[in-house]
């Protein structure tokens, strides 16, 4: 099935702030949030620098009952220091006692754009995510929910990727023919 990641518009500063926000429709208690890094260009044995490309260096995840995030509740806050890079691994964050109708991931320090071509070549920093999963009562509740993004760096063309359904077969890297796809195979 076709897959592409959500990518913000490139920023000229590492400290540019961009966010993606999911409207869950109703207030839910949040057990956990899974953040799926962008991995679409990863090929085993080469191009490893694309594994997790665009994963935020610093970020926070919050829940709120208001779309402007007045009176938000923190789920995780990694804004004080760079977060260890995902290298393509899905990151799960416990919700604690958070509840809300809206969930927002705010990136406060962005990763350098690597290997971009065309108009975006050599242009700064961006946020890239494969998707975000929100779990309540052991059920993923964000799939298909509306997503909004900030007006400055948000990319409305790719916004639906944030709550897309999980890819058939899961979100890992798969080889179509392991016996033939390995080096020398």
């Amino acid at each position: 099935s076709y897959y592409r990641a959500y990518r913000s518009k490139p920023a000229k500063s590492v400290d540019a702030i961009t966010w993606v926000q999911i409207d869950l429709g109703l207030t839910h208690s949040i057990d956990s949030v899974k953040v799926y890094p962008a991995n679409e260009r990863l090929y085993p044995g080469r191009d490893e620098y694309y594994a997790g490309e665009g994963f935020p260096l610093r970020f926070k995840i919050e829940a709120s009952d208001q779309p402007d995030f007045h009176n938000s509740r923190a789920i995780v806050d990694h804004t004080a220091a760079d977060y260890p890079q995902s290298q393509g691994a899905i990151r799960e964050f416990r919700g604690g006692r958070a509840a809300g109708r809206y969930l927002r991931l705010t990136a406060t320090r962005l990763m350098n754009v690597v290997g971009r071509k065309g108009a975006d070549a050599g242009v700064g920093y961006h946020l890239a995510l494969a998707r975000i999963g929100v779990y309540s009562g052991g059920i993923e509740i964000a799939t298909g929910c509306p997503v909004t993004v900030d007006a400055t760096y948000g990319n409305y063309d790719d916004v639906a990727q944030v709550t897309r359904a999980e890819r058939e077969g899961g979100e890992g890297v798969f080889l179509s023919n392991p016996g033939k796809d390995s080096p020398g195979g």
Side-chain angles (χ1 to χ4, degrees):
S1 63
Y2 181 70
Y3 161 79
R4 72 175 189 273
Y6 167 80
R7 282 190 175 71
S8 68
K9 295 174 187 170
K12 294 182 190 250
S13 169
V14 68
D15 294 317
I17 295 173
T18 186
W19 51 263
V20 295
Q21 178 174 305
I22 302 169
D23 181 350
L24 300 169
L26 300 168
T27 298
H28 295 273
S29 62
I30 298 172
D31 299 335
S32 66
V33 176
K34 288 185 181 180
V35 181
Y36 296 71
N39 285 321
E40 67 186 305
R41 294 183 183 155
L42 176 65
Y43 295 93
R46 61 184 173 98
D47 294 338
E48 279 82 9
Y49 57 85
Y50 283 115
E53 60 119 350
F55 196 87
L57 298 173
R58 296 185 184 185
F59 63 97
K60 61 183 174 180
I61 301 173
E62 303 168 283
S64 180
D65 286 324
Q66 292 98 18
D68 63 1
F69 273 68
H70 187 71
N71 295 326
S72 64
R73 289 166 293 288
I75 293 173
V76 67
D77 187 342
H78 290 288
T79 58
D82 287 359
Y83 185 78
Q85 282 306 290
S86 71
Q87 300 302 316
I90 298 165
R91 298 298 185 194
E92 183 172 11
F93 305 98
R94 296 287 170 211
R97 298 181 186 263
R101 173 178 172 168
Y102 301 93
L103 181 113
R104 182 185 286 184
L105 182 146
T106 303
T108 60
R109 179 165 283 181
L110 303 174
M111 185 182 279
N112 191 15
V113 176
V114 177
R116 298 299 295 255
K117 295 186 178 4
D120 291 342
V123 179
Y125 307 87
H126 73 286
L127 168 67
L129 303 169
R131 69 187 295 266
I132 296 175
V134 181
Y135 295 82
S136 180
I139 299 170
E140 202 286 321
I141 59 172
T143 299
C145 287
V147 179
T148 54
V149 292
D150 67 281
T152 304
Y153 299 108
N155 178 356
Y156 285 98
D157 291 339
D158 287 343
V159 75
Q161 300 306 315
V162 174
T163 59
R164 66 170 172 74
E166 189 170 299
R167 290 186 287 180
E168 190 175 315
E171 292 292 326
V173 175
F174 296 94
L175 300 176
S176 60
N177 188 345
K180 297 291 183 188
D181 289 342
S182 60

